[in-house]
Amino acid sequence: MSTPNTAMEIPAKLVKELRERTGAGFSDCRAALVEANGNIEKAIEILRKKGQAAAAKKAQREASEGLVGSYIHAGGKIGVIVELNCESDFVARTEAFQQLSHDIAMHIAALDPRYVRREEVTPDMLEKEREIYRAQALASGKPPQVVEKIVAGKMEKFYEENCLYEQHYIKDESITIGEMISQAVAKLGENISIRRFVRFKVGEVSGGPSAGPEAAPAKP
């Protein structure tokens, strides 16, 4: 295992690029680049892992402040309202937090998730999906020992397509919404979470906001 060269010079241009791509602070970006020996892709992975670790530590802290963000798209045909929570009104009023709220609402408008997190998918819905995937695999002639692996893989795809935290961010598919939240936690220093959202489309019947297991999904 190679030891990072703490004395190596990191070009300011490279630090700037990493900051633009991750939203992390100057010192964190420079330290990650030093650890990665100047490799920006490795530095991004380092920052991502640190962000996830920071988010995990803060996840138990109460996030009862925040704001309600909105986004209107397609000439007024699609609208989204999202509640994004943090720990203090100070952070809620920052430009970074407000931009995060806007970006999440825009993402919801584009990709139309049904749930906030995978834990919100009801057992009945999960079993229904599993049965469909199991029947498809069996009909294709796959042996029984392979079928369950196929079903497990398709269920992960189901979560990725339908759960907001699992979806890849519309403007940067290298990260998920959950990872984007983790990066914001590391940057702003508070627990941040998406509580609920509702997406409206002209002419479409909505099932109501997504706000936990007891709530109806955002679309039928």
Side-chain angles (χ1 to χ4, degrees):
M1 180 174 170
S2 61
T3 303
N5 181 6
T6 55
M8 75 178 297
E9 289 298 323
I10 301 296
K13 182 179 179 181
L14 198 59
V15 178
K16 181 175 182 290
E17 181 183 347
L18 184 58
R19 290 190 70 188
E20 289 173 349
R21 290 179 63 176
T22 64
F26 179 89
S27 59
D28 289 336
C29 286
R30 188 184 183 284
L33 285 164
V34 168
E35 185 176 342
N37 292 317
N39 184 311
I40 194 167
E41 297 302 328
K42 288 183 180 179
I44 289 172
E45 283 299 314
I46 290 167
L47 288 172
R48 184 175 294 176
K49 288 176 182 177
K50 287 181 178 178
Q52 290 168 347
K57 288 180 181 179
K58 294 179 174 67
Q60 301 305 315
R61 287 163 32 177
E62 184 178 5
S64 57
E65 293 292 337
L67 56 80
V68 174
S70 62
Y71 178 78
I72 305 297
H73 183 66
K77 299 294 185 182
I78 297 175
V80 170
I81 298 173
V82 59
E83 180 179 344
L84 185 65
N85 295 137
C86 58
E87 296 177 45
S88 70
D89 185 57
F90 172 79
V91 164
R93 287 186 279 108
T94 61
E95 183 179 347
F97 189 83
Q98 292 174 14
Q99 183 64 48
L100 178 64
S101 172
H102 175 271
D103 290 343
I104 291 170
M106 180 191 65
H107 172 93
I108 293 169
L111 291 194
D112 194 11
R114 298 172 68 181
Y115 309 93
V116 177
R117 299 173 179 81
R118 65 167 61 198
E119 292 80 9
E120 295 173 11
V121 186
T122 64
D124 287 347
M125 174 63 74
L126 289 176
E127 188 54 37
K128 178 182 176 182
E129 293 297 319
R130 287 193 186 98
E131 285 302 317
I132 291 172
Y133 300 143
R134 192 173 288 115
Q136 290 173 343
L138 289 170
S140 67
K142 301 293 183 184
Q145 63 270 27
V146 176
V147 168
E148 291 309 313
K149 290 182 179 179
I150 293 174
V151 171
K154 285 184 175 291
M155 286 306 299
E156 286 303 313
K157 188 68 175 176
F158 171 84
Y159 289 131
E160 183 181 324
E161 291 177 349
N162 293 281
C163 301
L164 179 57
Y165 268 71
E166 310 282 336
Q167 290 182 332
H168 288 266
Y169 179 37
I170 189 70
K171 291 173 66 175
D172 181 1
E173 294 190 355
S174 69
I175 63 171
T176 63
I177 294 296
E179 289 169 341
M180 189 165 76
I181 293 292
S182 295
Q183 290 177 2
V185 169
K187 180 180 179 181
L188 297 174
E190 290 192 0
N191 184 23
I192 296 172
S193 65
I194 303 167
R195 180 163 183 252
R196 54 184 169 176
F197 68 84
V198 63
R199 180 182 184 273
F200 300 98
K201 183 177 181 180
V202 172
E204 181 178 87
V205 178
S206 173
S210 177
E214 74 282 357
K219 67 178 183 182

